[in-house]
């Protein structure tokens, strides 16, 4: 039986550390896990990611940004996520359709119905079974993200970290609104805690999900 879990949250929420830990935990438990991310996850979508996150691309307009996220997702779902789920694997994906609603919708102010249509086109019937929302105050998340960037030598992948605090506040509130609208699918994780405590919460939520699906 397949399982599709997505990881969402503002910058610096720690979700990328947690997804790797969860992948290792589930593999040790004998599950066949695919760990992937958006934008990206396959060569064509990784090429689109490079355009989207390049800090030099200040001229990218919001509509083009939205369409590029949708294009990357369509490719990634068709090439990676859907085949893995069809093979009965567990797919852990760092960001998915909710990120587009939060960032391009609540953050940039683009039309939520239009984003829903594009999301539906890109993902087809592939909908997450569980979405973990790593929630924490924006100031703490951005502080962590800036410290991470300062410690990296590679090309600048920080187009979003350059946005205002108000932009990130809208994204946080947007995610919380989405979680309230779909309480069955979303689980809020208290991401302000230290990494071990956060991981314990993640494992508890995922184990409960596995029990409900008869995989314990
Ligand atoms: P990451 O920080 O999780 O690697 O995600 C890359 C950036 O892309 C992050 O700032 C959030 C942003 N993003 C969107 O704006 N819309 C989307 O649909 C996705 C998947 C990511």
């Amino acid at each position: 039986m397949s399982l599709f879990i997505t990881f969402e949250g503002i910058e610096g929420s720690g979700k990328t550390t947690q997804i790797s830990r969860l992948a290792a935990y589930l593999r040790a438990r004998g599950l066949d896990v695919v760990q992937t991310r958006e934008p990206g996850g396959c060569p064509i979508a990784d090429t689109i990611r490079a355009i989207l996150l390049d800090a030099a691309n200040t001229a990218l307009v919001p509509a083009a940004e939205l369409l590029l996220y949708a294009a990357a997702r369509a490719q990634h779902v068709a090439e990676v996520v859907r085949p893995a789920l069809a093979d009965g694997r567990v797919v852990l994906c760092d960001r998915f359709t909710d990120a587009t609603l939060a960032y391009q919708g609540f953050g940039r102010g683009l039309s939520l119905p239009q984003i829903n249509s594009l999301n539906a086109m890109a993902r087809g019937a592939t909908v997450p079974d569980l979405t973990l929302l790593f929630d924490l105050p924006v100031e703490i998340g951005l502080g962590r993200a800036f410290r991470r960037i300062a410690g990296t030598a590679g090309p600048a992948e920080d187009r979003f970290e350059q946005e205002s605090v108000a932009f990130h506040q809208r994204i946080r509130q947007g995610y919380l609104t989405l979680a309230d609208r779909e309480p069955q699918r979303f689980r809020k994780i208290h991401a302000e805690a230290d990494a071990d405590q956060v991981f314990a919460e993640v494992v508890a939520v995922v184990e409960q999900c596995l029990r409900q699906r008869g995989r314990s």
Side-chain angles (χ1 to χ4, degrees), residues 136-208:
L136 81 174
V138 165
E139 292 75 11
I140 297 177
L142 286 181
R144 288 182 184 173
F146 281 123
R147 278 195 294 281
R148 187 187 61 220
I149 290 167
T152 345
E157 253 210 357
D158 61 351
R159 211 166 53 82
F160 281 91
E161 275 94 353
Q162 293 170 351
E163 295 283 347
S164 69
V165 171
F167 174 78
H168 292 283
Q169 297 281 17
R170 289 198 297 280
I171 290 164
R172 182 187 184 199
Q173 289 311 317
Y175 269 132
L176 292 171
T177 302
L178 295 173
D180 282 345
R181 281 184 197 161
E182 277 187 84
Q184 295 289 90
R185 173 165 69 87
F186 274 91
R187 288 291 175 278
K188 215 186 303 172
I189 304 291
H190 302 94
E192 206 180 329
D194 72 61
D196 288 344
Q197 267 175 284
V198 175
F199 186 59
E201 203 180 335
V202 168
V203 167
V205 167
V206 171
E207 286 289 354
Q208 187 196 27

Side-chain angles (χ1 to χ4, degrees), residues 11 15 38-39 49 53 69 73 95 99-100 103-104 160:
E11 312 299 317
K15 64 186 169 43
E38 289 204 349
R49 178 185 177 94
L53 301 190
Y69 278 112
R73 176 162 306 126
R95 299 196 187 279
T100 319
Y103 279 77
Q104 282 65 51
F160 281 91

Side-chain angles (χ1 to χ4, degrees), residues 34-198:
V34 175
Q35 182 186 340
T36 188
R37 68 170 179 184
E38 289 204 349
C42 58
I44 292 172
D46 279 334
T47 303
I48 299 173
R49 178 185 177 94
I51 299 170
L52 280 165
L53 301 190
D54 186 344
N57 281 340
T58 49
L60 193 64
V61 296
E65 178 185 278
L66 169 62
L67 293 166
L68 286 171
Y69 278 112
R73 176 162 306 126
Q75 190 67 34
H76 178 233
V77 169
E79 222 177 289
V80 177
V81 181
R82 192 175 299 134
L85 294 173
D87 283 349
R89 306 174 78 184
V90 175
V91 177
L92 306 181
C93 189
D94 192 343
R95 299 196 187 279
F96 197 58
T97 44
D98 299 301
T100 319
L101 289 163
Y103 279 77
Q104 282 65 51
F106 291 93
R108 297 259 188 252
L110 296 180
S111 150
L112 295 176
Q114 277 183 351
I115 295 172
N116 277 325
S117 301
L118 286 169
N119 275 345
M121 180 188 265
R123 70 164 179 238
T126 306
V127 176
D129 299 298
L130 173 67
T131 297
L132 303 178
L133 172 57
F134 292 80
D135 183 57
L136 81 174
V138 165
E139 292 75 11
I140 297 177
L142 286 181
R144 288 182 184 173
F146 281 123
R147 278 195 294 281
R148 187 187 61 220
I149 290 167
T152 345
E157 253 210 357
D158 61 351
R159 211 166 53 82
F160 281 91
E161 275 94 353
Q162 293 170 351
E163 295 283 347
S164 69
V165 171
F167 174 78
H168 292 283
Q169 297 281 17
R170 289 198 297 280
I171 290 164
R172 182 187 184 199
Q173 289 311 317
Y175 269 132
L176 292 171
T177 302
L178 295 173
D180 282 345
R181 281 184 197 161
E182 277 187 84
Q184 295 289 90
R185 173 165 69 87
F186 274 91
R187 288 291 175 278
K188 215 186 303 172
I189 304 291
H190 302 94
E192 206 180 329
D194 72 61
D196 288 344
Q197 267 175 284
V198 175

